[in-house]
Amino acid sequence: MVDILRTAVSGLMAFRAAMSATGHNVANVNTPYYSRQRVELGTPLPEKHSYGYMGRGVDIESVARSYDDFVMKQLRGHSSGVSQYEKLNDLTGQMSALLGDTDVGLTPDLEAFFGSLQDLADAPASITARQVFLDEAQTLTTRIQDIDSALSSLRDSVDTSIRNAVTTINDLTAGIAQINRDIAQAPDFATNPPNDLLDNRDRMLVDLSKLVGIQVVNQDDGSLNIFMGGGQPLVVGVNAYSLEAVESGFDPQEITVRLQGQAEGSDLERYITSGELGGYFEFRRTILNPAQDGLGLLAMGLAETFNDQHEKGMNLDGELGSALFNAGSPQVWPHTKNDATSAATFTATVTDSTKLVRSDYEILYDGANYTATRLSDNQTILASGNLAALNVELDKQGLNLTPISGSLTAGDRFLVQSTRNGASSLDLRITDPRKVATAAPIITNSQADNVGSTSISPGAVTDAANSALQNTVRIQFTSANTFDVLDLTAGTALATNVGYVSGSPLTYNGWEVTIAGSPQGSVSGSPITAAADPANVGTAAIAPPAVNDIYDANLLNKIEIRFTSATQFDVFDVTQGTTLASGMSYTSGGNITYNGWTTQITDDPGPPSSTPQAGDIFQIKNDGDAFQIMNNQGGIGDNRNALELVKLETKQQLMGGNNYRGVYSQMIAEVGAQGRRVENTLVSQEALLEQSTLTRESISGVNLDEEAANLVRFQQAYEAAAQIIQTSNALFSTLLEAVKG
């Protein structure tokens, strides 16, 4: 009876446990990462009898969970990928909306700015047109600042998210370490693992993998060691290693991650390539930084190139133009691990904005020489060299580095941000519409009496800072093949006997002109000549004029000496249309001096002697072609500099051959391309995650139909075991009754 009862009781207990496990499965059908449990049954050692071995019922060996470590590893990896690209997709979408939106993007304001500039070129003297242009310039600078501010806000949001992610990671690693401790303390882990505790740890591992990519190593005592992708420990046995969100060793404006207690500068960012943290870092590194650098480059390029041309112009007050815009400058950050005692610092300046590259640069000093790396493509631009050699290479990137304080120590590192801050400081420096420099500060003209087939260009300013820019300069041809260049204002010869090449540029005093054609050189050997009008009645003669002042601005003016009688004459400047003198007394052979020359008119000595007669005219004019470059004083209707400013809209001079709009369009295109890449990768990662999730569910998930069938099966077995107990009880009662009787 005992054997029957013991067998029945063991079955009863086994099937009750099986039903309990089944009920537990059903209750947790919707519990995330719950693994289906099953009661493992086994046959105990049988009893030996004379007739053979008799079974002793059933033993409950363990409660096992349906689990596949490889599948869970895949699930964690795909969860990291999906979380990474979900964040990237969300942040990139915000970027695309910001840069490409017609209401908040930059393109409409660039178009309006240059449209108002074209209107100003059409009416350069209009105060209204000037004010509209300044208003559009202010709108443009404000919009660039707003976009930069929005990008900075997005950067702050990323930094905040990094801090929050680090806090959650630390909570999860602490929880996993505690579970490791609880599991390690379980005395019979190998045979009776705490399944629900293991499931909870699996859930926490998946949650952790969503934040940062991890590697999991199983230990013999059931605990897990967890490492980040670069091998940095997060959990080792019962010990959790906390992360901390700190300022970057290079850039205090960026938040990065390091293990708590590690030295400053021991950043782990380069090792974190997946999970939400990886998404934040990748977005900042590959999308946000290039976009903000590009916007800064646009602002700095706009300011420098526009200022350069504006300063070559002249405003309504006759003054040379001044800088129209002000933009930010490059910034140099010393690494936090640099020698704090020597504390070397540098400043960086832009030498040529058209050479600027959207990149930061890392500068390393080894105690004697520098190395420099362009971080956008990790290209070494200087392997080893002194500061002069460094600046030679940086100048190719449009930069110059200057030490300002402290002394260098071997191992010092510096980060040069060339354009990051360009847009934040962009503003408009001119508010007075009269100060807009639409006119060119110089004009050119040909001497009225030139006889050669030559022409001179309007002239272009090459160096607005040249103090002699607006001096009056004469180009006087001394022959058909040579000329002199005289600065009439300074009273100096800039060049003499220069060989003439038609169409070749001539550059002096900060301007450049071209003369083309076939000039007439001096015949008399003097820049001026004199002649009597063929219609003169008298036979008086005029002597070749002597030059008293070669730098007299009016030396080459056409002058007529007009006799009103035999004893009086007037002097008329035909070139300027003014009378220089009237009623002058005539003395044969007497000096007549005007405009830097002196001549004499003498009576005809032959018989009969003849004096000038009323109506006789004698002319002095240039002998050989001449041209002048002079101050455009009063040229308020001149729009030449405004037209040069208009040309900047389409001039391909920034970032490898882009105009202003091209720089911005490239930013939008790059963000869009990144967005498409991220979106496509997210779709594939989601498909992989779905596949691994389904695989896990097929192994570990609870199937209610199956559990219902099991419940019926276990219930029937339980009832059968109970029936055996009842039968055993009846037999035992019969036996007792028989014995009692």
Side-chain angles (χ1 to χ4, degrees), residues 124-125 130 313-320 434 438-443 470 630-640:
R130 288 167 173 264
M314 185 177 70
N315 62 34
L316 277 183
D317 296 327
E319 303 164 340
L320 289 175
R434 294 186 61 84
T438 58
I442 59 169
I443 56 172
Q470 293 177 291
M630 66 189 72
N631 184 4
N632 189 21
Q633 188 66 37
I636 61 174
D638 189 321
N639 69 346
R640 283 181 293 156

Side-chain angles (χ1 to χ4, degrees), residues 246-384:
V246 294
E247 293 178 353
S248 169
F250 263 138
D251 187 355
Q253 298 177 350
E254 288 190 348
I255 295 299
T256 188
V257 172
R258 67 169 178 244
L259 286 171
Q260 200 170 68
Q262 284 192 327
E264 291 186 2
S266 304
D267 302 342
L268 301 178
E269 179 175 335
R270 63 186 179 277
Y271 302 115
I272 301 174
T273 58
S274 60
E276 285 188 18
L277 271 184
Y280 293 135
F281 290 139
E282 182 178 350
F283 170 74
R284 189 169 65 188
R285 182 179 63 255
T286 64
I287 301 175
L288 179 58
N289 285 352
Q292 197 160 23
D293 288 345
L295 187 67
L297 188 149
L298 171 60
M300 295 167 76
L302 174 70
E304 181 178 325
T305 56
F306 215 88
N307 288 349
D308 181 63
Q309 186 60 52
H310 191 260
E311 290 168 355
K312 294 176 181 177
M314 185 177 70
N315 62 34
L316 277 183
D317 296 327
E319 303 164 340
L320 289 175
S322 58
L324 184 68
F325 294 108
N326 180 64
S329 57
Q331 195 152 11
V332 183
W333 299 99
H335 198 277
T336 54
K337 295 180 70 174
N338 286 3
D339 191 316
T341 304
S342 55
T345 57
F346 286 83
T347 183
T349 55
V350 175
T351 58
D352 186 350
S353 64
T354 64
K355 298 178 183 178
L356 287 174
V357 178
R358 292 183 308 167
S359 179
D360 296 344
Y361 300 85
E362 183 175 345
I363 312 297
L364 172 64
Y365 182 71
D366 64 5
N369 290 298
Y370 297 88
T371 60
T373 304
R374 187 172 58 210
L375 298 182
S376 60
D377 55 5
N378 288 320
Q379 179 179 343
T380 299
I381 64 173
L382 178 69
S384 181

Side-chain angles (χ1 to χ4, degrees), residues 20-29 31-38 62-67 72 175-176 178-180 182-183 186 189 192-205 222 696 700 702:
S20 178
T22 301
H24 189 55
N25 289 339
V26 172
N28 287 280
V29 64
T31 301
Y33 301 104
Y34 172 79
S35 297
R36 175 168 49 87
Q37 298 178 12
R38 63 182 181 275
S62 68
V63 179
R65 61 178 184 147
S66 300
Y67 179 80
M72 285 303 299
I176 293 170
Q178 180 59 49
I179 292 177
N180 279 348
D182 295 340
I183 291 174
F189 170 80
N192 293 298
N195 295 322
D196 293 332
L197 206 57
L198 294 175
D199 286 343
N200 191 33
R201 187 173 66 179
D202 283 342
R203 176 187 60 78
M204 297 176 75
L205 285 171
R696 183 204 169 274
S700 303
V702 175

Side-chain angles (χ1 to χ4, degrees), residues 89-293:
N89 190 51
D90 176 54
L91 294 168
T92 305
Q94 294 182 48
M95 284 277 292
S96 296
L98 171 65
L99 297 178
D101 192 281
T102 56
D103 294 326
V104 298
L106 192 61
T107 302
D109 296 286
L110 277 170
E111 293 175 351
F113 172 71
F114 280 103
S116 66
L117 183 56
Q118 182 62 63
D119 293 341
L120 177 57
D122 295 338
S126 169
I127 296 296
T128 300
R130 288 167 173 264
Q131 186 60 59
V132 170
F133 167 69
L134 289 180
D135 291 343
E136 292 296 345
Q138 183 61 64
T139 300
L140 177 62
T141 57
T142 301
R143 183 55 54 87
I144 291 176
Q145 288 176 346
D146 289 345
I147 294 175
D148 183 78
S149 178
L151 294 178
S152 295
S153 295
L154 198 54
R155 184 181 300 277
D156 293 340
S157 176
V158 168
D159 288 345
T160 300
S161 297
I162 291 172
R163 290 190 179 95
N164 293 339
V166 166
T167 299
T168 306
I169 288 172
N170 290 339
D171 290 342
L172 288 170
T173 54
I176 293 170
Q178 180 59 49
I179 292 177
N180 279 348
R181 182 178 294 108
D182 295 340
I183 291 174
Q185 291 174 352
D188 55 348
F189 170 80
T191 56
N192 293 298
N195 295 322
D196 293 332
L197 206 57
L198 294 175
D199 286 343
N200 191 33
R201 187 173 66 179
D202 283 342
R203 176 187 60 78
M204 297 176 75
L205 285 171
V206 172
D207 289 344
L208 181 61
S209 68
K210 291 178 181 178
L211 296 170
V212 62
I214 57 173
Q215 298 293 329
V216 178
V217 179
N218 294 305
Q219 300 301 300
D220 293 339
D221 63 355
S223 63
L224 300 177
N225 292 346
I226 304 170
F227 303 90
M228 286 194 294
Q232 297 74 25
L234 292 176
V235 177
V236 177
V238 299
N239 298 313
Y241 295 86
S242 297
L243 299 177
E244 58 181 352
V246 294
E247 293 178 353
S248 169
F250 263 138
D251 187 355
Q253 298 177 350
E254 288 190 348
I255 295 299
T256 188
V257 172
R258 67 169 178 244
L259 286 171
Q260 200 170 68
Q262 284 192 327
E264 291 186 2
S266 304
D267 302 342
L268 301 178
E269 179 175 335
R270 63 186 179 277
Y271 302 115
I272 301 174
T273 58
S274 60
E276 285 188 18
L277 271 184
Y280 293 135
F281 290 139
E282 182 178 350
F283 170 74
R284 189 169 65 188
R285 182 179 63 255
T286 64
I287 301 175
L288 179 58
N289 285 352
Q292 197 160 23
D293 288 345

